[in-house]
Structures are given as structure tokens and as C-alpha cells.
Amino acid sequence: MSHQHFVPPAEQDLTTLYEWEKLVEHAERFTTSLGTPTAVDTGDTLNLRKLFQEQPGRASDMTFQCGPLRVDLSKNLIDPSGLNLLVNLARSKKVEDYRVAMFEGQQINTTEQRSVLHTALRLPVDRDLTVEDAEGNTQDIAADVHQVLGRMRDFAKALRSGQWQGISGHTIKHVVNIGIGGSDLGPAMAAEALRPYQTAGITPHFISNVDPAHLEAVLDQLEQQGKIGAESTLFVVASKTFNTAETLANAHAARRWLLARLERTGVDVSTEEQVRQITAKHFVAVSTHQEEVEEFGIDPKNMFEFWDWVGGRYSVDSSIGLTLMAAIGPRDFTNFLEGFYDVDKHFSSEPLEMNVPVLMALLGVWYTSLLGAQSHAVLPYSQDLDRFPAYLQQLMMESNGKSVRLDGSAVTTPTGEIYWGEPGTNGQHAFMQLVHQGTHLIPVDFIGFVNPHVDHADATGAHSMHDMLMSNLFAQSRVLAFGKTAEELREESLDEALIAHKVMPGNRPSTTILGDKLTPRTLGALIALYEHIAFVQGVLWGINSFDQWGVELGKAQATALLDLLHGESAVDTGDSSTDDLIHHYRSRRER
């Protein structure tokens, strides 16, 4: 489908809309006290006990299937009329028009004049998508995507079969991804989440931080493999521009380590040509800049492309996922893509009233912009999803951490949910005290799976450990919602002096997301769900979810300050605090 430059619908400040005014009235009428509830709240409040009493079918009415995910929204602090107002707000903000524009490849990233087509990365092979730029040039997006996927599959098969070998004839057993931000968080999170699917004896590793301790920690693991550690290692340098400072620093350091270790085993590293041959066998690139890739010494045949219409934080299902594919194999990577596509179909076709990403996005705006929530917890009851909250931090906070609207004017409501979380029962012994009895409103997303990959009996032998895990998930969402009142505690003959301390206020909102098992398909669906939540919230707030200018100035300043950290040159940054810090650093630095 061809298109012209995207012309945004007439932009109107969210707070000037009739639907917003009605929502403000609704929020003010239904005060949401975090204090002690009564057993049955008869006041004009948003009380979850009361909402469930008034709506006998609330649980079933507010539970939806979204691809392989079952999503229960019933424990959220919203009544039917409020939810209807939120949906009306989405229609007023032209969410449906923006949704069509995104899927068609129109340039909805208006500050960079780019399409936003991460959804094209998971199109089935029989689907077509052709776009036209402002100069009238056409690009067969679907064909380009599948051409790169085909090259990735061939490469992964060569690694996993042993056909690809290092410079001294050893098969590859370790694939080290060197990237940062979107070139690291996605594949690192997914590789850990899909650990049971690593079936070919290839171990993925990830280096991102420019702190040399991160590099050394991974290299130490490779050193433990003995003589063949370096000989059986492949590095994937992932950088769209191939000039990301942290990534290049780590890549050059990794190559120096590789050459030193190979030299110890008798490999000749004395000539530039030999170094180039070693680099070609032990380094590949994921990038768009062939010239810089070749300058590093990587054979351009081993460069895997992605495109400027793929934002880094939306790129795990592109060639950025090369390390993941090497670890889990092409078939399971295809299943991973199918999970994304399951949710894309749901998001693109379901009416707003039944559309899970839309409803979750609306609830996030309700909490953040109307009820004053300061953060959003994501608690996966799965240790393999340990890195999922960190992944969502970039996806959601880099996308929607904006204070100006598309036209450059200041936003008039809080924007961007602050995401955080930890897996499983760990959080219950760390921060759930504040979530249950503190003074902050913190919406929670619980994520769990019906079936584990492995299970063991508990201490008594009467139950399984996975059943213990999931009983905790269900209990946490139940207690957050319904709590325990002073009257209920008195019925248990509790000491009156302790009652105030042991009351559980309840009325804390949560969403529960269940999958049958943490498979590649389920993980793909989970990621796509939050991608679309970020998009809808950006539309509602009137901001661009697909640029990230806020990360640029700090990087530029770091480059400017680097030369001042050593030597004797005068330090005058125009900032006395920074000058003093640099002087102290230089005076104490051991070299």
C-alpha cells in the first residue's frame, strides 16, 4: 500500500476535550482513598469490593483473550461508565486513525520523518506491504524483511550445525552480543526467558555497559572454557549506526582479548591480513552502515541489515535478534514472531471496547494523568522473565517520557508511566509492603503461566513448587483488591492494639496476564502487547513515542568531557560542580 507523508489529525490538547472534562468529573466524584475501607463501602467511591458486588459478571466481562494471553482487567479501579468515557476519549483522539497509519507505514514519527513499522518485522511470508516515500520511491517492506530473515536462518543453521567454524576449525559454542539499549535489552531478556529452548549447545552472552567490569565478567566466563574458549566464540556487534561509543569500545576490547588468546594457542596474529581473516570468522555485525562495518574488519557478507523505520526498543524481532535465533534456532524464532503477529491481529482488528492493548493503555492514562499514580509495577511470576521489567523500562519510558506534544507545545498532563518490577515471590519479601499498605497508588501487572517447564515438590511433598508460586500470584492480586477490614480482623479476636497495623486497605488496582506456558510464541505476544500500549498512550497524550532526543545531549556531553579526565589541562566547563568533580577524579585516579 502506498502512502504520502503522514498528516496528523487535527491535534487538540487532551485536557480541552469534552471527554476529558467528563473523565475529570468522574475522577473527582469517585474519590479513591488509600485509607481503611469498610466491609461494604456505601459512599460515592471507587471501591473494588463494591464494584464486584454491583457487577456479578465483572470478572468474565472484563477478561479478554489477546492471542495466547488471557488478560483479566476486572481488578482495576474503574467502573463501567468510567471505562466507557476512556474509550470515548480514545476515539476522540483518533486512536483508530493513528493505528491504521502505523500499520500502513505512514510517517507517524514526525520529528524524524520516519515510518514506524516494527509490525512489519513479523508479517507472515504470504503478506505484502509496500510503502512509498515522499520522493515517490517504493519499498517492498515485506520482501526486505523476509530476505533478511532468510539470511539470519541460514547463518543460525550454519552455527548450530557446526558448518560455521572459527579460525582454527572449532565449532562455535558461545555467541556474544555486543550492543546497548535496544540492541541489548530485547535479545538479552528474550534469551533468558527462552532458556529451555536453547537446544544446540550454543550459549548466548551479552555485553552492554561501557564499564569494563561488564566486559570482564563475560570474558571470564569464556576463559573458564579453557583453551578453546576464544576459538569457539563468535561476537555479534549490534549497532544501527556502527558508531555507538559504548558498543565500539567493547567491540575493540573484545577483539584485543580474542587476538591475545588465539596467539597463545599458536594462531598467527602478526599481520593486518591475518587479523582481518580472524575478524571475519569471529565477528558479524547487525547494522545499517556497511562502510563502518567493513572498516572494523567484518565481512559485509556477514552484516545483517535493519532499517530506520525500526526503533531500537522495538527491534528484538529484527536482525537485532540474531543472537537469540542462534541460541533457540530458526523454528522457535519463527514461533516467537508468530506471537507478535497474534497480538498485532488483535490490536489492528478488535473494536476499542474489546481491544486489550487499548484498554490497558487507557487504564495507564487514567492512573497516571487523572488519579496521580507515580509508577507502574510489572511482576512476572516466572524467574525466566527476570529481565522483562528492565526491558519494559526502556520500551515504555524511552517511548513516552516526553514533555512536549507533536506540535512542540508543552503537555498539560503527566505523561509516561514509570515502570519497575522484580520476578515472583522475591518482590513479596522486598517492596510489596509499600504496595499493600503504603500511601502511593501503584497499579500492578501480574504475569504468570499455567504450566512450568520443570517442577518439583514442595517441602511437604503435598504440593508442587509451581503451584506454590501461582497461589502467591493469585493471593497478591486478591489481597491488593479486597484487603482485610478492621471488622474482619475483630471477628478473628485480634488484639485491638494491632488492628490498625494489620488492616489491609485493599482497593489497589492490578491486571493479571496468564499464558499456558512461557514459550517463544507467548513471549512474542507479551512484548507486542506492551509495544501497542506504548503507542496508544502516545496518541492519547499527543506525543511522539518513536523518537528519543532526550538521550542525545548526555552522550554528547560525555564525549566533550572525556579528554578532561586525564592530563593537566585546565578544567573550565562553566559549571563549578562538574569542574570540582573532575579535579577530584583526576587527583585520585590511579593509572
Side-chain angles (χ1 to χ4, degrees):
M1 180 179 298
S2 64
H3 74 282
Q4 303 300 319
H5 273 293
F6 177 63
V7 179
E11 187 62 37
Q12 189 171 357
D13 181 4
L14 184 71
T15 60
T16 66
L17 297 173
Y18 170 79
E19 292 81 4
W20 182 263
E21 294 174 7
K22 302 303 291 184
L23 277 165
V24 170
E25 291 175 8
H26 199 70
E28 290 173 347
R29 185 166 77 253
F30 290 102
T31 57
T32 55
S33 171
L34 293 180
T36 304
T38 56
V40 178
D41 194 324
T42 57
D44 205 14
T45 64
L46 271 177
N47 181 277
L48 284 167
R49 291 191 179 210
K50 179 180 175 184
L51 288 171
F52 273 87
Q53 286 184 353
E54 292 175 346
Q55 298 172 255
R58 181 177 174 91
S60 59
D61 290 346
M62 296 185 69
T63 298
F64 305 90
Q65 196 69 29
C66 180
L69 306 174
R70 178 182 172 88
V71 182
D72 179 359
L73 302 176
S74 64
K75 293 189 182 79
N76 279 281
L77 270 176
I78 196 73
D79 65 346
S81 60
L83 195 58
N84 186 56
L85 287 170
L86 285 169
V87 170
N88 289 342
L89 178 70
R91 288 209 165 90
S92 179
K93 287 294 292 182
K94 308 296 184 185
V95 164
E96 292 149 312
D97 291 347
Y98 274 91
R99 180 178 62 183
V100 169
M102 180 179 72
F103 277 98
E104 287 186 350
Q106 297 185 42
Q107 293 180 347
I108 63 172
N109 179 352
T110 53
T111 62
E112 297 178 300
Q113 292 302 313
R114 291 176 179 173
S115 298
V116 175
L117 274 172
H118 50 276
T119 54
L121 297 169
R122 50 265 196 163
L123 282 175
V125 69
D126 60 350
R127 293 292 306 275
D128 295 322
L129 179 63
T130 302
V131 300
E132 181 179 299
D133 63 23
E135 287 74 38
N137 302 311
T138 59
Q139 182 180 5
D140 190 337
I141 297 292
D144 290 348
V145 166
H146 284 283
Q147 189 267 338
V148 173
L149 278 172
R151 293 185 59 233
M152 290 170 63
R153 281 192 294 268
D154 291 343
F155 175 74
K157 288 176 181 177
L159 283 182
R160 292 165 65 85
S161 69
Q163 180 183 347
W164 181 294
Q165 298 176 349
I167 193 68
S168 51
H170 286 279
T171 58
I172 299 300
K173 298 299 181 184
H174 300 273
V175 177
V176 183
N177 187 91
I178 300 176
I180 198 167
S183 298
D184 167 76
L185 280 166
M189 175 275 294
E192 183 174 347
L194 300 179
R195 176 184 50 81
Y197 296 87
Q198 296 175 20
T199 55
I202 291 178
T203 303
H205 306 267
F206 297 87
I207 298 170
S208 56
N209 201 333
V210 76
D211 183 347
H214 195 186
L215 176 74
E216 283 301 308
V218 173
L219 297 183
D220 282 349
Q221 294 177 44
L222 301 177
E223 295 275 16
Q224 292 168 15
Q225 304 303 309
K227 179 180 177 181
I228 65 168
E231 294 174 285
S232 62
T233 297
L234 178 87
F235 293 94
V236 177
V237 185
S239 171
K240 181 183 286 190
T241 61
F242 221 76
N243 62 14
T244 306
E246 300 96 328
T247 298
L248 286 183
N250 278 319
H252 281 279
R255 182 163 58 182
R256 289 193 296 270
W257 170 87
L258 177 72
L259 294 173
R261 296 310 180 273
L262 289 176
E263 187 174 25
R264 290 181 192 174
T265 67
V267 175
D268 180 13
V269 300
S270 62
T271 68
E272 184 176 325
E273 178 57 29
Q274 188 66 14
V275 169
R276 184 169 291 276
Q277 289 181 23
I278 293 168
T279 302
K281 287 286 189 178
H282 289 270
F283 282 82
V284 300
V286 177
S287 182
T288 59
H289 284 206
Q290 181 174 324
E291 185 176 332
E292 286 81 356
V293 168
E294 287 187 85
E295 184 177 338
F296 184 85
I298 294 174
D299 189 330
K301 293 185 298 185
N302 299 325
M303 185 188 90
F304 298 85
E305 185 182 10
F306 65 118
W307 305 272
D308 65 5
W309 41 259
V310 182
R313 56 192 175 276
Y314 297 89
S315 67
V316 64
D317 46 341
S318 72
S319 54
I320 288 293
L322 185 65
T323 299
L324 176 65
M325 184 189 281
I328 68 173
R331 182 178 64 180
D332 281 321
F333 194 86
T334 298
N335 293 336
F336 180 57
L337 299 181
E338 288 172 350
F340 283 90
Y341 187 62
D342 287 337
V343 175
D344 291 347
K345 287 188 294 184
H346 172 96
F347 176 59
S348 63
S349 62
E350 287 291 330
L352 302 189
E353 294 85 354
M354 305 286 289
N355 197 304
V356 173
V358 171
L359 294 173
M360 290 182 69
L362 288 166
L363 288 167
V365 171
W366 170 246
Y367 295 130
T368 301
S369 299
L370 286 148
L371 299 189
Q374 296 294 304
S375 69
H376 187 135
V378 177
L379 310 181
Y381 276 62
S382 165
Q383 187 62 35
D384 285 335
L385 281 180
D386 179 35
R387 295 289 290 162
F388 193 62
Y391 173 77
L392 291 185
Q393 285 175 351
Q394 187 198 20
L395 176 63
M396 307 303 288
M397 295 165 69
E398 193 169 81
S399 293
N400 290 334
K402 313 288 170 62
S403 57
V404 295
R405 296 161 57 229
L406 289 172
D407 61 5
S409 61
V411 299
T412 52
T413 66
T415 65
E417 296 185 87
I418 300 171
Y419 270 70
W420 60 276
E422 282 287 326
T425 54
N426 295 1
Q428 294 171 205
H429 294 267
F431 48 73
M432 287 304 288
Q433 168 63 43
L434 184 146
V435 180
H436 280 290
Q437 288 188 308
T439 59
H440 297 277
L441 174 66
I442 303 174
V444 177
D445 292 351
F446 292 101
I447 302 171
F449 302 94
V450 175
N451 299 297
H453 285 283
V454 294
D455 204 359
H456 298 281
D458 71 356
T460 68
H463 306 286
S464 85
M465 290 177 66
H466 185 73
D467 288 347
M468 283 182 64
L469 176 73
M470 293 304 291
S471 68
N472 275 275
L473 184 159
F474 299 139
Q476 289 295 312
S477 70
R478 185 170 189 264
V479 174
L480 280 174
F482 306 120
K484 197 162 193 176
T485 67
E487 291 80 1
E488 290 166 340
L489 289 168
R490 290 190 181 97
E491 290 173 3
E492 298 174 359
S493 301
L494 185 71
D495 183 344
E496 188 68 30
L498 290 177
I499 284 179
H501 299 281
K502 299 194 75 171
V503 162
M504 297 293 282
N507 222 33
R508 313 294 171 110
S510 71
T511 294
T512 300
I513 303 169
L514 293 179
D516 283 346
K517 183 179 278 191
L518 181 50
T519 64
R521 189 165 194 152
T522 307
L523 180 63
L526 266 175
I527 296 171
L529 171 63
Y530 284 93
E531 286 179 347
H532 295 318
I533 290 170
F535 164 73
V536 173
Q537 289 184 336
V539 174
L540 293 168
W541 283 317
I543 60 180
N544 183 359
S545 299
F546 303 104
D547 61 12
Q548 55 280 332
W549 300 109
V551 304
E552 300 300 326
L553 181 57
K555 292 162 65 175
Q557 289 282 309
T559 300
L561 294 176
L562 184 58
D563 286 340
L564 294 177
L565 299 191
H566 54 82
E568 301 296 330
S569 60
V571 178
D572 182 10
T573 66
D575 162 14
S576 60
S577 171
T578 303
D579 290 351
D580 286 346
L581 289 168
I582 292 174
H583 280 301
H584 178 78
Y585 180 89
R586 292 197 333 191
S587 70
R588 306 284 293 178
R589 179 73 162 94
E590 299 174 0
R591 297 189 186 273

